Amino acid sequence: MNEAAFTPPPILNSARLLLRPVNRDDLDLVYAFNADERNLRYVAREPWTAKAQALVRIDEWTDGFAARATMMWAFEHGPERAPAGYGGFFGIDAEADKAEIGYGLLPAYWGRGLAGEAVDAMVAWGFGELKLHRIHARVHPGNTASERLLARRGFQVEGLLKHDSRARGQWFDSALFGLIDPAAED
Ligand SMILES: CC(C)(COP(=O)(O)OP(=O)(O)OC[C@H]1O[C@@H](n2cnc3c(N)ncnc32)[C@H](O)[C@@H]1OP(=O)(O)O)[C@@H](O)C(=O)NCCC(=O)NCCS
């Protein structure tokens, strides 16, 4: 893993998005996403009811950034830089050069290929700058948009994690998707 990739904090661009490190100014975005049940259909989480929950999460990401274990970006859309979603890497493992990727958009931005753009930019940074060897994602079966997005980018289904998480009184399975750095030699 190349720790230098965190300095300066990375800012990424795609055709329609600017990805910049999340900070406390993103409180409304992070809260809005997690308070809206439409976004949580395939996310094992209770809908949030207080902005303080978003602040706690943002501070966890900031601590994770300092520990080089988390890299979370806010996605800003278009010239007006409208807050559209967020995503990034967590569980960054410097020994095994691997991390998990996650992402989400507010519903107004779904269905336009924007998450794919963000994933392309993040994966390019993960392999190219952070020098990860492996990136994985966990997707609850039925989240077709997320499954297709990953499959189109070469992520392979590696298995099914039964009862991987629990929320809202039910268990959630996860399909495990993995991608090895295409530039890796072995
Ligand atoms: C999952 C999510 C990130 C997808 O983002 P998006 O920008 O809307 O996705 P895209 O427009 O790039 O679509 C990706 C693919 O899924 C397809 N798709 C989109 N919505 C779909 C739906 N409701 N049903 C089936 N396929 C769908 C698209 O056609 C596209 O496939 P293609 O490349 O073969 O044409 C977005 O729906 C979201 O934020 N959902 C809530 C949070 C979440 O579930 N995050 C992922 C957790 S693993």
Side-chain angles (χ1 to χ4, degrees), residues 33 39 103-105 110-115 143-146 148 152:
F33 180 88
N39 300 321
Y103 41 83
L105 297 175
W110 291 0
R112 294 150 64 177
L114 285 165
N143 193 349
T144 312
S146 192
R148 287 179 69 107
R152 273 203 180 268

Side-chain angles (χ1 to χ4, degrees), residues 17-99:
L17 298 173
L18 175 75
L19 286 67
R20 54 138 189 89
V22 164
N23 63 58
R24 279 184 158 211
D25 291 341
D26 298 308
L27 181 65
D28 288 342
L29 166 69
V30 174
Y31 178 69
F33 180 88
N34 288 286
D36 186 335
E37 290 184 12
R38 288 174 294 174
N39 300 321
L40 303 181
R41 181 167 175 196
Y42 302 110
V43 176
R45 186 171 304 149
E46 302 290 339
W48 290 357
T49 53
K51 287 195 174 180
Q53 292 172 282
L55 215 47
V56 168
R57 186 58 54 90
I58 291 169
D59 288 349
E60 284 172 3
W61 291 330
T62 303
D63 292 346
F65 177 86
R68 306 306 190 230
T70 306
M71 180 63 240
M72 200 60 59
W73 290 275
F75 307 158
E76 296 181 343
H77 180 258
E80 67 284 7
R81 297 182 57 174
Y86 65 89
F89 294 109
F90 45 96
I92 298 172
D93 180 336
E95 294 297 319
D97 291 336
K98 66 179 181 180

Side-chain angles (χ1 to χ4, degrees), residues 115-138:
E117 268 187 38
V119 168
D120 285 340
M122 296 188 292
V123 166
W125 180 84
F127 287 141
E129 305 297 328
L130 191 57
K131 305 294 183 196
L132 295 174
H133 180 71
R134 167 187 165 80
I135 296 172
H136 71 271
R138 286 180 295 154

